[in-house]
Amino acid sequence: QLGPPLNDFLNDVNPQTLKSLNAEFEKIVPNKDVQCKIQFRGEAQTELKDQGSSANANPLDSLPRVDISKDVDKLLKKLGDSKWEVRKEALEALGGLLTASHNRIAATGLQELVTALKGRLKDNNKSFLKGCMMFVGNFATAVGPNVRIYAKPLIQELVKNLLDKQAVIRNETIVALDKFAAEVGSETVINIAFPLLNQENPELRQTFIPWILKNQDGLSKVDLRAHIGVVLSILQDKMKDIRILGERLLEKCIGVIGTGPYVTALKDLKPAIQKAL
């Protein structure tokens, strides 16, 4: 019934046993048709009553979330330390807070952490940067849908890492974006990141346009008229492969808002470009 989120409650299982369990879990398809009725007792029951919450189809949605803000405050200074080893130590401690909370944390009191993470997402140490992106993705999962209030600054900085020449950094960025999309919807990620595609950067365009195409269902909820100029810019890219990606993206966008807005926008371009497009 629970599916993969059950793993969040198995943090104290030894690694070898957990590996075997995960191999078996991967064979299981959660039965979405089964409505799971649950009952809480003791402190959990009291907290749920105070929140006015009720159990629904996914029991995890009704579990109380842990306020880690006070513990986080103690780590902020170390997270900004000039020594990367100290920053790494703080990041590992933050990861430990998520694990100890069964990856279910409250969104309250975390603005300073988000500001600090935004700064660390442009860290010069690639090893630390990779770990930071992993944490930010896990942070989105742990906060859940309420991570929406912190999404814009974190997603903007994440997407800038798609400019990186190292494939491992770009791949880690995509993993983190997937986790944000799972919580706040792919349309939120696309709306925030779309303007960055205006940069004529092959790594960014070759990585993020396919991500949009993979999540094309979200385009129907995106303000595509605000990004018309970006799409026309991609269609004029120097690289043929990127222009082809731009054509595929244009096709999906036209499916939502039609050709009219793009034809109108062509009038601002040079005659030769207008003709080609």
PDB file of all heavy atoms in Angstrom, residues 147-178:
ATOM      1  N   VAL A 147       6.935  22.714   0.588  1.00  0.00           N
ATOM      2  CA  VAL A 147       8.224  23.238   0.128  1.00  0.00           C
ATOM      3  C   VAL A 147       8.005  24.305  -0.946  1.00  0.00           C
ATOM      4  O   VAL A 147       8.946  25.022  -1.325  1.00  0.00           O
ATOM      5  CB  VAL A 147       9.125  22.093  -0.391  1.00  0.00           C
ATOM      6  CG1 VAL A 147       8.721  21.676  -1.812  1.00  0.00           C
ATOM      7  CG2 VAL A 147      10.599  22.506  -0.348  1.00  0.00           C
ATOM      8  N   ARG A 148       6.769  24.433  -1.410  1.00  0.00           N
ATOM      9  CA  ARG A 148       6.429  25.452  -2.413  1.00  0.00           C
ATOM     10  C   ARG A 148       6.879  26.849  -1.972  1.00  0.00           C
ATOM     11  O   ARG A 148       7.295  27.670  -2.792  1.00  0.00           O
ATOM     12  CB  ARG A 148       4.910  25.446  -2.666  1.00  0.00           C
ATOM     13  CG  ARG A 148       4.445  26.402  -3.744  1.00  0.00           C
ATOM     14  CD  ARG A 148       2.938  26.307  -3.917  1.00  0.00           C
ATOM     15  NE  ARG A 148       2.535  24.957  -4.302  1.00  0.00           N
ATOM     16  CZ  ARG A 148       2.560  24.507  -5.546  1.00  0.00           C
ATOM     17  NH1 ARG A 148       2.952  25.295  -6.514  1.00  0.00           N
ATOM     18  NH2 ARG A 148       2.173  23.272  -5.810  1.00  0.00           N
ATOM     19  N   ILE A 149       6.789  27.141  -0.665  1.00  0.00           N
ATOM     20  CA  ILE A 149       7.131  28.479  -0.191  1.00  0.00           C
ATOM     21  C   ILE A 149       8.631  28.767  -0.310  1.00  0.00           C
ATOM     22  O   ILE A 149       9.049  29.927  -0.269  1.00  0.00           O
ATOM     23  CB  ILE A 149       6.677  28.700   1.276  1.00  0.00           C
ATOM     24  CG1 ILE A 149       7.352  27.693   2.221  1.00  0.00           C
ATOM     25  CG2 ILE A 149       5.168  28.592   1.391  1.00  0.00           C
ATOM     26  CD1 ILE A 149       6.999  27.890   3.686  1.00  0.00           C
ATOM     27  N   TYR A 150       9.438  27.719  -0.460  1.00  0.00           N
ATOM     28  CA  TYR A 150      10.884  27.885  -0.593  1.00  0.00           C
ATOM     29  C   TYR A 150      11.374  27.524  -1.996  1.00  0.00           C
ATOM     30  O   TYR A 150      12.585  27.574  -2.253  1.00  0.00           O
ATOM     31  CB  TYR A 150      11.612  26.990   0.411  1.00  0.00           C
ATOM     32  CG  TYR A 150      11.238  27.217   1.859  1.00  0.00           C
ATOM     33  CD1 TYR A 150      10.785  26.164   2.663  1.00  0.00           C
ATOM     34  CD2 TYR A 150      11.347  28.489   2.435  1.00  0.00           C
ATOM     35  CE1 TYR A 150      10.467  26.366   4.008  1.00  0.00           C
ATOM     36  CE2 TYR A 150      11.022  28.695   3.770  1.00  0.00           C
ATOM     37  CZ  TYR A 150      10.578  27.639   4.550  1.00  0.00           C
ATOM     38  OH  TYR A 150      10.256  27.842   5.875  1.00  0.00           O
ATOM     39  N   ALA A 151      10.465  27.158  -2.888  1.00  0.00           N
ATOM     40  CA  ALA A 151      10.852  26.560  -4.165  1.00  0.00           C
ATOM     41  C   ALA A 151      11.625  27.506  -5.087  1.00  0.00           C
ATOM     42  O   ALA A 151      12.642  27.120  -5.669  1.00  0.00           O
ATOM     43  CB  ALA A 151       9.612  26.028  -4.886  1.00  0.00           C
ATOM     44  N   LYS A 152      11.170  28.746  -5.205  1.00  0.00           N
ATOM     45  CA  LYS A 152      11.751  29.627  -6.231  1.00  0.00           C
ATOM     46  C   LYS A 152      13.252  29.836  -6.082  1.00  0.00           C
ATOM     47  O   LYS A 152      14.014  29.588  -7.037  1.00  0.00           O
ATOM     48  CB  LYS A 152      11.022  30.972  -6.247  1.00  0.00           C
ATOM     49  CG  LYS A 152      11.451  31.861  -7.422  1.00  0.00           C
ATOM     50  CD  LYS A 152      10.561  33.091  -7.546  1.00  0.00           C
ATOM     51  CE  LYS A 152      10.966  33.913  -8.756  1.00  0.00           C
ATOM     52  NZ  LYS A 152      10.094  35.104  -8.936  1.00  0.00           N
ATOM     53  N   PRO A 153      13.754  30.286  -4.923  1.00  0.00           N
ATOM     54  CA  PRO A 153      15.203  30.510  -4.828  1.00  0.00           C
ATOM     55  C   PRO A 153      16.030  29.241  -4.998  1.00  0.00           C
ATOM     56  O   PRO A 153      17.106  29.271  -5.612  1.00  0.00           O
ATOM     57  CB  PRO A 153      15.376  31.105  -3.423  1.00  0.00           C
ATOM     58  CG  PRO A 153      14.164  30.684  -2.657  1.00  0.00           C
ATOM     59  CD  PRO A 153      13.067  30.644  -3.660  1.00  0.00           C
ATOM     60  N   LEU A 154      15.527  28.117  -4.488  1.00  0.00           N
ATOM     61  CA  LEU A 154      16.282  26.874  -4.584  1.00  0.00           C
ATOM     62  C   LEU A 154      16.294  26.330  -6.008  1.00  0.00           C
ATOM     63  O   LEU A 154      17.339  25.900  -6.511  1.00  0.00           O
ATOM     64  CB  LEU A 154      15.712  25.827  -3.620  1.00  0.00           C
ATOM     65  CG  LEU A 154      15.900  26.138  -2.128  1.00  0.00           C
ATOM     66  CD1 LEU A 154      15.214  25.076  -1.271  1.00  0.00           C
ATOM     67  CD2 LEU A 154      17.383  26.224  -1.769  1.00  0.00           C
ATOM     68  N   ILE A 155      15.154  26.360  -6.676  1.00  0.00           N
ATOM     69  CA  ILE A 155      15.086  25.854  -8.053  1.00  0.00           C
ATOM     70  C   ILE A 155      15.917  26.724  -8.990  1.00  0.00           C
ATOM     71  O   ILE A 155      16.619  26.217  -9.874  1.00  0.00           O
ATOM     72  CB  ILE A 155      13.615  25.764  -8.528  1.00  0.00           C
ATOM     73  CG1 ILE A 155      12.900  24.627  -7.785  1.00  0.00           C
ATOM     74  CG2 ILE A 155      13.542  25.526 -10.038  1.00  0.00           C
ATOM     75  CD1 ILE A 155      11.414  24.555  -8.040  1.00  0.00           C
ATOM     76  N   GLN A 156      15.847  28.045  -8.802  1.00  0.00           N
ATOM     77  CA  GLN A 156      16.647  28.940  -9.653  1.00  0.00           C
ATOM     78  C   GLN A 156      18.133  28.617  -9.555  1.00  0.00           C
ATOM     79  O   GLN A 156      18.829  28.560 -10.575  1.00  0.00           O
ATOM     80  CB  GLN A 156      16.403  30.396  -9.255  1.00  0.00           C
ATOM     81  CG  GLN A 156      15.087  30.963  -9.760  1.00  0.00           C
ATOM     82  CD  GLN A 156      14.860  32.398  -9.315  1.00  0.00           C
ATOM     83  OE1 GLN A 156      15.384  32.841  -8.295  1.00  0.00           O
ATOM     84  NE2 GLN A 156      14.079  33.142 -10.073  1.00  0.00           N
ATOM     85  N   GLU A 157      18.624  28.407  -8.341  1.00  0.00           N
ATOM     86  CA  GLU A 157      20.045  28.111  -8.173  1.00  0.00           C
ATOM     87  C   GLU A 157      20.386  26.703  -8.659  1.00  0.00           C
ATOM     88  O   GLU A 157      21.457  26.473  -9.221  1.00  0.00           O
ATOM     89  CB  GLU A 157      20.459  28.270  -6.709  1.00  0.00           C
ATOM     90  CG  GLU A 157      20.539  29.708  -6.244  1.00  0.00           C
ATOM     91  CD  GLU A 157      21.463  30.571  -7.091  1.00  0.00           C
ATOM     92  OE1 GLU A 157      22.540  30.088  -7.510  1.00  0.00           O
ATOM     93  OE2 GLU A 157      21.114  31.734  -7.342  1.00  0.00           O
ATOM     94  N   LEU A 158      19.471  25.764  -8.447  1.00  0.00           N
ATOM     95  CA  LEU A 158      19.696  24.408  -8.947  1.00  0.00           C
ATOM     96  C   LEU A 158      19.885  24.410 -10.457  1.00  0.00           C
ATOM     97  O   LEU A 158      20.840  23.834 -10.982  1.00  0.00           O
ATOM     98  CB  LEU A 158      18.515  23.502  -8.579  1.00  0.00           C
ATOM     99  CG  LEU A 158      18.517  22.836  -7.210  1.00  0.00           C
ATOM    100  CD1 LEU A 158      17.181  22.159  -6.950  1.00  0.00           C
ATOM    101  CD2 LEU A 158      19.657  21.830  -7.078  1.00  0.00           C
ATOM    102  N   VAL A 159      18.979  25.075 -11.159  1.00  0.00           N
ATOM    103  CA  VAL A 159      18.997  25.059 -12.624  1.00  0.00           C
ATOM    104  C   VAL A 159      20.268  25.705 -13.173  1.00  0.00           C
ATOM    105  O   VAL A 159      20.782  25.294 -14.219  1.00  0.00           O
ATOM    106  CB  VAL A 159      17.732  25.748 -13.192  1.00  0.00           C
ATOM    107  CG1 VAL A 159      17.827  25.880 -14.710  1.00  0.00           C
ATOM    108  CG2 VAL A 159      16.499  24.939 -12.834  1.00  0.00           C
ATOM    109  N   LYS A 160      20.812  26.687 -12.462  1.00  0.00           N
ATOM    110  CA  LYS A 160      22.055  27.321 -12.913  1.00  0.00           C
ATOM    111  C   LYS A 160      23.199  26.317 -12.970  1.00  0.00           C
ATOM    112  O   LYS A 160      24.167  26.505 -13.722  1.00  0.00           O
ATOM    113  CB  LYS A 160      22.417  28.489 -11.993  1.00  0.00           C
ATOM    114  CG  LYS A 160      21.499  29.696 -12.147  1.00  0.00           C
ATOM    115  CD  LYS A 160      21.851  30.789 -11.161  1.00  0.00           C
ATOM    116  CE  LYS A 160      20.851  31.950 -11.243  1.00  0.00           C
ATOM    117  NZ  LYS A 160      21.138  32.993 -10.217  1.00  0.00           N
ATOM    118  N   ASN A 161      23.093  25.242 -12.204  1.00  0.00           N
ATOM    119  CA  ASN A 161      24.129  24.212 -12.239  1.00  0.00           C
ATOM    120  C   ASN A 161      24.061  23.351 -13.494  1.00  0.00           C
ATOM    121  O   ASN A 161      24.960  22.546 -13.741  1.00  0.00           O
ATOM    122  CB  ASN A 161      24.051  23.346 -10.977  1.00  0.00           C
ATOM    123  CG  ASN A 161      24.683  24.024  -9.775  1.00  0.00           C
ATOM    124  OD1 ASN A 161      25.874  24.305  -9.760  1.00  0.00           O
ATOM    125  ND2 ASN A 161      23.883  24.324  -8.768  1.00  0.00           N
ATOM    126  N   LEU A 162      22.995  23.523 -14.280  1.00  0.00           N
ATOM    127  CA  LEU A 162      22.944  22.839 -15.573  1.00  0.00           C
ATOM    128  C   LEU A 162      23.885  23.508 -16.579  1.00  0.00           C
ATOM    129  O   LEU A 162      24.097  22.991 -17.675  1.00  0.00           O
ATOM    130  CB  LEU A 162      21.501  22.839 -16.116  1.00  0.00           C
ATOM    131  CG  LEU A 162      20.490  22.028 -15.316  1.00  0.00           C
ATOM    132  CD1 LEU A 162      19.112  22.142 -15.931  1.00  0.00           C
ATOM    133  CD2 LEU A 162      20.904  20.555 -15.237  1.00  0.00           C
ATOM    134  N   LEU A 163      24.438  24.656 -16.190  1.00  0.00           N
ATOM    135  CA  LEU A 163      25.442  25.328 -17.015  1.00  0.00           C
ATOM    136  C   LEU A 163      26.815  24.667 -16.853  1.00  0.00           C
ATOM    137  O   LEU A 163      27.726  24.924 -17.633  1.00  0.00           O
ATOM    138  CB  LEU A 163      25.557  26.808 -16.613  1.00  0.00           C
ATOM    139  CG  LEU A 163      24.330  27.699 -16.832  1.00  0.00           C
ATOM    140  CD1 LEU A 163      24.433  28.964 -16.002  1.00  0.00           C
ATOM    141  CD2 LEU A 163      24.167  28.050 -18.295  1.00  0.00           C
ATOM    142  N   ASP A 164      26.946  23.821 -15.848  1.00  0.00           N
ATOM    143  CA  ASP A 164      28.232  23.215 -15.516  1.00  0.00           C
ATOM    144  C   ASP A 164      28.685  22.241 -16.602  1.00  0.00           C
ATOM    145  O   ASP A 164      27.871  21.525 -17.191  1.00  0.00           O
ATOM    146  CB  ASP A 164      28.131  22.471 -14.178  1.00  0.00           C
ATOM    147  CG  ASP A 164      29.485  22.250 -13.536  1.00  0.00           C
ATOM    148  OD1 ASP A 164      30.233  21.387 -14.030  1.00  0.00           O
ATOM    149  OD2 ASP A 164      29.794  22.940 -12.554  1.00  0.00           O
ATOM    150  N   LYS A 165      29.982  22.219 -16.847  1.00  0.00           N
ATOM    151  CA  LYS A 165      30.531  21.325 -17.879  1.00  0.00           C
ATOM    152  C   LYS A 165      30.565  19.870 -17.417  1.00  0.00           C
ATOM    153  O   LYS A 165      30.601  18.956 -18.235  1.00  0.00           O
ATOM    154  CB  LYS A 165      31.962  21.764 -18.240  1.00  0.00           C
ATOM    155  CG  LYS A 165      32.061  23.154 -18.866  1.00  0.00           C
ATOM    156  CD  LYS A 165      31.420  23.202 -20.236  1.00  0.00           C
ATOM    157  CE  LYS A 165      31.591  24.569 -20.885  1.00  0.00           C
ATOM    158  NZ  LYS A 165      30.882  24.639 -22.188  1.00  0.00           N
ATOM    159  N   GLN A 166      30.544  19.641 -16.095  1.00  0.00           N
ATOM    160  CA  GLN A 166      30.615  18.276 -15.572  1.00  0.00           C
ATOM    161  C   GLN A 166      29.243  17.603 -15.622  1.00  0.00           C
ATOM    162  O   GLN A 166      28.288  18.089 -15.020  1.00  0.00           O
ATOM    163  CB  GLN A 166      31.141  18.279 -14.137  1.00  0.00           C
ATOM    164  CG  GLN A 166      32.598  18.685 -13.999  1.00  0.00           C
ATOM    165  CD  GLN A 166      33.128  18.473 -12.604  1.00  0.00           C
ATOM    166  OE1 GLN A 166      32.574  17.711 -11.811  1.00  0.00           O
ATOM    167  NE2 GLN A 166      34.224  19.138 -12.285  1.00  0.00           N
ATOM    168  N   ALA A 167      29.175  16.482 -16.312  1.00  0.00           N
ATOM    169  CA  ALA A 167      27.905  15.762 -16.452  1.00  0.00           C
ATOM    170  C   ALA A 167      27.353  15.313 -15.106  1.00  0.00           C
ATOM    171  O   ALA A 167      26.135  15.313 -14.894  1.00  0.00           O
ATOM    172  CB  ALA A 167      28.088  14.552 -17.367  1.00  0.00           C
ATOM    173  N   VAL A 168      28.247  14.942 -14.175  1.00  0.00           N
ATOM    174  CA  VAL A 168      27.792  14.449 -12.870  1.00  0.00           C
ATOM    175  C   VAL A 168      27.033  15.541 -12.110  1.00  0.00           C
ATOM    176  O   VAL A 168      26.049  15.249 -11.418  1.00  0.00           O
ATOM    177  CB  VAL A 168      28.987  13.923 -12.037  1.00  0.00           C
ATOM    178  CG1 VAL A 168      29.948  15.040 -11.670  1.00  0.00           C
ATOM    179  CG2 VAL A 168      28.495  13.222 -10.782  1.00  0.00           C
ATOM    180  N   ILE A 169      27.454  16.793 -12.260  1.00  0.00           N
ATOM    181  CA  ILE A 169      26.770  17.907 -11.605  1.00  0.00           C
ATOM    182  C   ILE A 169      25.406  18.131 -12.245  1.00  0.00           C
ATOM    183  O   ILE A 169      24.391  18.322 -11.553  1.00  0.00           O
ATOM    184  CB  ILE A 169      27.612  19.199 -11.685  1.00  0.00           C
ATOM    185  CG1 ILE A 169      28.932  19.026 -10.929  1.00  0.00           C
ATOM    186  CG2 ILE A 169      26.832  20.393 -11.140  1.00  0.00           C
ATOM    187  CD1 ILE A 169      28.786  18.800  -9.453  1.00  0.00           C
ATOM    188  N   ARG A 170      25.363  18.076 -13.561  1.00  0.00           N
ATOM    189  CA  ARG A 170      24.080  18.266 -14.266  1.00  0.00           C
ATOM    190  C   ARG A 170      23.105  17.142 -13.930  1.00  0.00           C
ATOM    191  O   ARG A 170      21.908  17.375 -13.725  1.00  0.00           O
ATOM    192  CB  ARG A 170      24.311  18.344 -15.779  1.00  0.00           C
ATOM    193  CG  ARG A 170      25.187  19.512 -16.213  1.00  0.00           C
ATOM    194  CD  ARG A 170      25.061  19.813 -17.702  1.00  0.00           C
ATOM    195  NE  ARG A 170      25.383  18.680 -18.553  1.00  0.00           N
ATOM    196  CZ  ARG A 170      26.617  18.338 -18.943  1.00  0.00           C
ATOM    197  NH1 ARG A 170      27.658  19.046 -18.516  1.00  0.00           N
ATOM    198  NH2 ARG A 170      26.830  17.303 -19.724  1.00  0.00           N
ATOM    199  N   ASN A 171      23.618  15.923 -13.853  1.00  0.00           N
ATOM    200  CA  ASN A 171      22.754  14.778 -13.534  1.00  0.00           C
ATOM    201  C   ASN A 171      22.170  14.896 -12.126  1.00  0.00           C
ATOM    202  O   ASN A 171      20.996  14.584 -11.896  1.00  0.00           O
ATOM    203  CB  ASN A 171      23.542  13.463 -13.663  1.00  0.00           C
ATOM    204  CG  ASN A 171      23.912  13.146 -15.100  1.00  0.00           C
ATOM    205  OD1 ASN A 171      23.316  13.685 -16.028  1.00  0.00           O
ATOM    206  ND2 ASN A 171      24.903  12.302 -15.291  1.00  0.00           N
ATOM    207  N   GLU A 172      23.003  15.340 -11.186  1.00  0.00           N
ATOM    208  CA  GLU A 172      22.530  15.505  -9.810  1.00  0.00           C
ATOM    209  C   GLU A 172      21.475  16.609  -9.728  1.00  0.00           C
ATOM    210  O   GLU A 172      20.543  16.529  -8.931  1.00  0.00           O
ATOM    211  CB  GLU A 172      23.714  15.831  -8.892  1.00  0.00           C
ATOM    212  CG  GLU A 172      23.495  15.453  -7.447  1.00  0.00           C
ATOM    213  CD  GLU A 172      23.248  13.966  -7.250  1.00  0.00           C
ATOM    214  OE1 GLU A 172      24.105  13.157  -7.629  1.00  0.00           O
ATOM    215  OE2 GLU A 172      22.169  13.634  -6.715  1.00  0.00           O
ATOM    216  N   THR A 173      21.648  17.622 -10.571  1.00  0.00           N
ATOM    217  CA  THR A 173      20.664  18.708 -10.633  1.00  0.00           C
ATOM    218  C   THR A 173      19.308  18.172 -11.076  1.00  0.00           C
ATOM    219  O   THR A 173      18.270  18.512 -10.500  1.00  0.00           O
ATOM    220  CB  THR A 173      21.122  19.811 -11.606  1.00  0.00           C
ATOM    221  OG1 THR A 173      22.381  20.327 -11.187  1.00  0.00           O
ATOM    222  CG2 THR A 173      20.118  20.948 -11.652  1.00  0.00           C
ATOM    223  N   ILE A 174      19.306  17.347 -12.096  1.00  0.00           N
ATOM    224  CA  ILE A 174      18.060  16.774 -12.621  1.00  0.00           C
ATOM    225  C   ILE A 174      17.362  15.924 -11.567  1.00  0.00           C
ATOM    226  O   ILE A 174      16.135  15.977 -11.415  1.00  0.00           O
ATOM    227  CB  ILE A 174      18.345  15.937 -13.889  1.00  0.00           C
ATOM    228  CG1 ILE A 174      18.749  16.854 -15.047  1.00  0.00           C
ATOM    229  CG2 ILE A 174      17.135  15.106 -14.281  1.00  0.00           C
ATOM    230  CD1 ILE A 174      17.676  17.859 -15.466  1.00  0.00           C
ATOM    231  N   VAL A 175      18.140  15.154 -10.812  1.00  0.00           N
ATOM    232  CA  VAL A 175      17.562  14.322  -9.746  1.00  0.00           C
ATOM    233  C   VAL A 175      16.844  15.215  -8.728  1.00  0.00           C
ATOM    234  O   VAL A 175      15.730  14.912  -8.284  1.00  0.00           O
ATOM    235  CB  VAL A 175      18.655  13.481  -9.048  1.00  0.00           C
ATOM    236  CG1 VAL A 175      18.086  12.792  -7.807  1.00  0.00           C
ATOM    237  CG2 VAL A 175      19.213  12.440 -10.011  1.00  0.00           C
ATOM    238  N   ALA A 176      17.483  16.323  -8.355  1.00  0.00           N
ATOM    239  CA  ALA A 176      16.887  17.250  -7.387  1.00  0.00           C
ATOM    240  C   ALA A 176      15.627  17.899  -7.957  1.00  0.00           C
ATOM    241  O   ALA A 176      14.620  18.051  -7.256  1.00  0.00           O
ATOM    242  CB  ALA A 176      17.902  18.314  -6.983  1.00  0.00           C
ATOM    243  N   LEU A 177      15.665  18.273  -9.230  1.00  0.00           N
ATOM    244  CA  LEU A 177      14.484  18.886  -9.863  1.00  0.00           C
ATOM    245  C   LEU A 177      13.320  17.898  -9.904  1.00  0.00           C
ATOM    246  O   LEU A 177      12.155  18.290  -9.735  1.00  0.00           O
ATOM    247  CB  LEU A 177      14.824  19.370 -11.276  1.00  0.00           C
ATOM    248  CG  LEU A 177      15.787  20.553 -11.376  1.00  0.00           C
ATOM    249  CD1 LEU A 177      16.080  20.883 -12.839  1.00  0.00           C
ATOM    250  CD2 LEU A 177      15.235  21.779 -10.654  1.00  0.00           C
ATOM    251  N   ASP A 178      13.633  16.641 -10.136  1.00  0.00           N
ATOM    252  CA  ASP A 178      12.584  15.605 -10.134  1.00  0.00           C
ATOM    253  C   ASP A 178      11.891  15.546  -8.769  1.00  0.00           C
ATOM    254  O   ASP A 178      10.668  15.368  -8.687  1.00  0.00           O
ATOM    255  CB  ASP A 178      13.180  14.228 -10.455  1.00  0.00           C
ATOM    256  CG  ASP A 178      13.498  14.053 -11.936  1.00  0.00           C
ATOM    257  OD1 ASP A 178      12.934  14.809 -12.754  1.00  0.00           O
ATOM    258  OD2 ASP A 178      14.304  13.165 -12.273  1.00  0.00           O
TER     259      ASP A 178
END
